[in-house]
Amino acid sequence: MAKKEGIRRLFNNIAGEYDKLNHILSLNIDKRWRKKAVRQIADTQEALKVLDVACGTGDFTIEIARNVGPGSTVTGIDLSEGMLEVARKKCEAEARKGKGEKYVTENRKDGRLAEIDLVQGDCEAMPYEDDTFDRIGVGFGVRNFENLPKGLTEMFRVLKKDGKLVILELSIPSNPIIRWFYKLYFLKILPAIGGWISGNRGAY
């Protein structure tokens, strides 16, 4: 629980700079990665119930909503209220109308609307019944789970038996030369830039 509370506070603190830093530190490659993952999630024209786990500031959530079939619903859940506040502002900008914490966004496929619901909650103990969602996506979130096996078990619990789980996450390159540059960037350069812009080096 101590780690989980620390993660919640950390993301609350950096929520305002999170998107800018993501784009800067990944050289905007994160946008391309998200689009590729979304294609795996929005792989049918049928209406889907989609869950975006550790949805953060909502970029992945909104991109999914823009691409799923008509009549779909996309739920974003995150531990950090600060990150969700940024996500709500994005959804409000996207929305044609809103009600409470539910928003709708225009679907790129046919101009219809997909509904977005944003929920503050623990991704390792989600408030959903078994076999609820057709698709589950996680964009750069599993690294922050306090108990990853528990989080994965929870995702499979709420995923329908014929559903699909799509996880987008960084991995360490197998090539030793590329791995050396990777570690140099992620362990030395990235923390320095992230700390300088956000004022919180420890977060990066």
Side-chain angles (χ1 to χ4, degrees):
M1 183 59 71
K3 177 183 176 182
K4 191 173 295 183
E5 179 59 24
I7 290 291
R8 188 186 67 80
R9 287 199 304 267
L10 183 153
F11 281 102
N12 281 344
N13 290 336
I14 66 171
E17 302 293 335
Y18 182 81
D19 287 331
K20 179 169 70 175
L21 277 165
N22 258 4
H23 303 327
I24 291 173
L25 295 173
S26 73
L27 305 177
N28 269 334
I29 297 174
D30 63 305
K31 295 180 180 178
R32 185 172 32 175
W33 291 337
R34 283 191 183 91
K35 289 181 184 296
K36 185 175 181 179
V38 167
R39 286 197 295 271
Q40 294 293 318
I41 295 169
D43 59 352
T44 177
Q45 285 291 303
E46 296 178 4
L48 297 172
K49 291 186 69 174
V50 184
L51 178 65
D52 181 13
V53 172
C55 66
T57 59
D59 280 356
F60 201 32
T61 316
I62 293 171
E63 191 68 19
I64 293 169
R66 287 172 173 167
N67 288 276
V68 287
S72 296
T73 60
V74 183
T75 300
I77 184 170
D78 199 274
L79 188 65
S80 167
E81 184 59 39
M83 299 287 274
L84 286 172
E85 186 59 34
V86 176
R88 289 189 188 102
K89 290 177 181 177
K90 291 180 184 178
C91 287
E92 286 166 357
E94 288 276 324
R96 293 185 171 181
K97 60 182 179 180
K99 183 178 181 182
E101 292 184 1
K102 289 182 181 289
Y103 310 95
V104 287
T105 187
E106 185 169 350
N107 185 294
R108 286 180 179 165
K109 290 184 176 178
D110 63 2
R112 298 188 186 183
L113 300 175
E115 186 179 272
I116 297 174
D117 188 14
L118 298 174
V119 176
Q120 194 278 330
D122 186 348
C123 297
E124 295 173 24
M126 292 187 283
Y128 307 113
E129 296 181 358
D130 296 358
D131 306 317
T132 296
F133 297 97
D134 301 293
R135 302 284 186 274
I136 296 179
V138 194
F140 308 113
V142 297
R143 73 185 86 167
N144 296 314
F145 278 37
E146 184 175 49
N147 186 323
L148 181 55
K150 184 177 179 181
L152 291 170
T153 298
E154 187 70 349
M155 282 185 257
F156 279 109
R157 179 185 69 79
V158 301
L159 182 66
K160 293 181 180 178
K161 296 300 183 285
D162 59 348
K164 181 192 290 187
L165 170 62
V166 177
I167 296 177
L168 173 60
E169 190 55 87
L170 298 172
S171 60
I172 298 175
S174 57
N175 182 292
I177 297 174
I178 297 175
R179 184 167 62 246
W180 186 88
F181 284 104
Y182 174 94
K183 288 185 175 181
L184 173 67
Y185 181 72
F186 277 94
L187 298 179
K188 302 294 183 181
I189 298 173
L190 186 152
I193 298 173
W196 175 60
I197 295 176
S198 71
N200 188 343
R201 181 185 174 93
Y204 289 89

